[in-house]
Amino acid sequence: MALLNILCYPDPRLHTVATPVKEIVNETLTLIENMIETMYESNGIGLAATQVDVHQRIIVLDVSDERNSPMVLINPEIIWTHPDRVKGEEGCLSVPNTYDGVERSIEVKVKAMGKAGELQEIHAKELLAVCIQHEMDHLLGKVFVDYLSPLKRNRIKTKMLKLQRENSH
Ligand code: K1U
Ligand code: ZN
């Protein structure tokens, strides 16, 4: 297994739209294992392939307290969203140390393949519902800061670029 490099905002590759997985091959399974390891090592509750510069529709998640129940969603599709929405605080491994409120549906139903190619339907609530919507945005090239005001987004962009410049010296 290997740790993968996570792209940091405002890297333009984070705005790439991912394409569906055509066939689950050994390389796909290795990528998934490495994404799970990278998510745990980074203390994240989710990770989208986009964030590790692989532009395929794959996400991994684990919202359990025990951190031992990874979920794998290949070619996920939201098939139902609860009409009620709530604003909650979000973070992102691609935007370290930055948190802000984003409005999301309180429940979603998602259809996806698992890593053995099996079809799964998930009725997600609470943190899992938020996390799935956040990760599915990544697959569409969208980062949570895109929901914030231009003023806030520009401040975050400036802060991130400054940090990246400092870390490269
Ligand atoms: O996509 C990612 O970068 C992972 C992201 C997922 C996420 C967190 C919070 C709300 C929505 C989606 C993270 O895991 S950031 C890590 C983090 O700060 C966090 C961890 C657990 C709960 C809340 C935040
Ligand atoms: Zn994220």
Side-chain angles (χ1 to χ4, degrees):
M1 290 208 284
L3 289 179
L4 304 170
N5 180 50
I6 299 178
L7 298 177
C8 269
Y9 186 80
D11 192 310
R13 291 171 289 182
L14 285 168
H15 300 300
T16 310
V17 177
T19 56
V21 174
K22 287 199 190 88
E23 194 186 354
I24 300 170
V25 292
N26 280 340
E27 204 187 351
T28 320
L29 297 176
T30 303
L31 169 67
I32 289 167
E33 288 312 310
N34 291 339
M35 284 175 64
I36 292 171
E37 191 186 2
T38 304
M39 171 182 70
Y40 285 139
E41 184 65 25
S42 314
N43 294 319
I45 54 170
L47 188 68
T50 309
Q51 292 175 278
V52 294
D53 203 19
V54 177
H55 302 286
Q56 297 181 27
R57 291 186 60 81
I58 301 173
I59 65 184
V60 298
L61 311 125
D62 190 348
V63 297
S64 71
D65 289 338
E66 299 78 19
R67 314 278 297 142
N68 60 4
S69 314
M71 294 171 69
V72 176
L73 305 188
I74 300 172
N75 296 341
E77 278 175 54
I78 294 188
I79 54 173
W80 174 80
T81 51
H82 197 292
D84 293 351
R85 295 168 68 82
V86 68
K87 197 172 195 174
E89 197 87 336
E90 295 194 12
C92 180
L93 299 175
S94 294
V95 197
N97 304 314
T98 305
Y99 302 88
D100 215 317
V102 177
E103 194 186 284
R104 305 276 190 193
S105 290
I106 59 166
E107 293 178 22
V108 291
K109 280 187 189 166
V110 188
K111 192 178 79 174
M113 269 191 300
K115 62 182 177 184
E118 76 282 15
L119 258 183
Q120 32 181 5
E121 202 174 301
I122 299 152
H123 186 166
K125 302 175 184 183
E126 301 168 348
L127 187 56
L128 180 59
V130 173
C131 193
I132 286 176
Q133 291 172 81
H134 176 112
E135 301 309 332
M136 291 201 51
D137 270 352
H138 275 305
L139 300 181
L140 295 172
K142 198 158 186 172
V143 182
F144 86 98
V145 298
D146 293 333
Y147 290 106
L148 308 179
S149 69
L151 180 69
K152 276 192 177 178
R153 196 166 49 250
N154 277 324
R155 279 191 184 145
I156 293 167
K157 202 179 277 184
T158 305
K159 179 180 86 173
M160 295 296 300
L161 287 170
K162 185 167 177 271
L163 277 173
Q164 286 161 28
R165 264 199 310 276
E166 285 166 5
N167 289 340
S168 70
H169 292 142

